[in-house]
Amino acid sequence: MLVVSCKELDKLTMFDVDYQTNYTVSSTTIINAPFNLFTPEVTTESETTFEENNTRKDLIESIKLKTLKLTLTSPESGNFNFLNEIHIFISAENVEEVEIAYLVDMENNNSRMLELVTNGQELKDYIKADSYTLRVQSTTDETLSQNHDITIDTKFRVDAKILGL
């Protein structure tokens, strides 16, 4: 006889979805003033992703951001020391923009990768949409002599009813 606890069953109905997008912080002499940058639209292909995980859009119970990482891809000698704080917002068609991750009072540690604090927002309407856009709001505390190219890697945890369970 097979006995499965509710927690074990819940784990079977969860899966992660990863997306990646890029943006560029242009060289600037302005410091301590917030500025906004928008990423290109991120296509979710959620229908296909949900099918691959034996579920459908109408069976999604919850989607929350699990991790958001920034990686500096150029310049080769660059780092994130120029940032004082950063806030990431998500928006999609017919869905109000919300903040999903942030870092404030950042230390200068010569890092080329940052993991932001996620805030636990419910995001299923954004990921179920055909695409979404991220807005990056940053405050710098150093001037930039050259453009900085940054990759944003996101991992969303999906909790769904699985077909047949």
Side-chain angles (χ1 to χ4, degrees):
M1 179 172 172
L2 179 65
V3 177
V4 179
S5 73
C6 289
K7 282 187 178 185
E8 289 170 336
L9 195 55
D10 275 349
K11 286 181 186 175
L12 296 175
T13 66
M14 293 182 184
F15 57 94
D16 292 337
V17 179
D18 300 330
Y19 296 104
Q20 187 178 78
T21 189
N22 301 292
Y23 75 102
T24 299
V25 178
S26 299
S27 61
T28 182
T29 58
I30 300 172
I31 61 172
N32 295 323
F35 62 92
N36 292 297
L37 299 166
F38 293 87
T39 66
E41 276 192 348
V42 177
T43 304
T44 63
E45 299 179 359
S46 60
E47 295 276 354
T48 303
T49 303
F50 297 154
E51 278 180 30
E52 289 170 353
N53 287 279
N54 299 316
T55 193
R56 302 183 310 253
K57 278 186 179 184
D58 61 315
L59 298 175
I60 302 302
E61 295 178 329
S62 176
I63 301 177
K64 296 190 177 180
L65 183 62
K66 187 174 173 181
T67 61
L68 189 147
K69 293 180 184 176
L70 303 179
T71 304
L72 185 65
T73 57
S74 76
E76 218 173 275
S77 61
N79 56 49
F80 283 112
N81 289 357
F82 68 93
L83 285 176
N84 183 46
E85 68 180 57
I86 186 166
H87 300 267
I88 310 283
F89 300 83
I90 190 170
S91 62
E93 189 174 336
N94 301 318
V95 187
E96 191 172 313
E97 179 185 78
V98 296
E99 184 177 18
I100 58 171
Y102 64 92
L103 268 182
V104 295
D105 298 325
M106 297 167 59
E107 299 290 325
N108 287 350
N109 60 9
N110 301 320
S111 177
R112 293 183 57 84
M113 196 277 297
L114 297 173
E115 186 162 344
L116 277 62
V117 176
T118 61
N119 61 13
Q121 288 278 4
E122 178 56 59
L123 302 172
K124 67 181 174 184
D125 291 338
Y126 302 89
I127 305 306
K128 286 169 52 176
D130 292 335
S131 63
Y132 66 83
T133 303
L134 297 178
R135 177 171 63 91
V136 180
Q137 182 183 60
S138 303
T139 304
T140 60
D141 58 7
E142 294 180 11
T143 60
L144 292 177
S145 61
Q146 51 190 316
N147 292 353
H148 282 55
D149 296 322
I150 298 168
T151 298
I152 301 175
D153 289 298
T154 54
K155 183 181 293 287
F156 294 90
R157 171 58 54 102
V158 179
D159 188 1
K161 293 180 182 173
I162 303 298
L163 298 173
L165 281 183

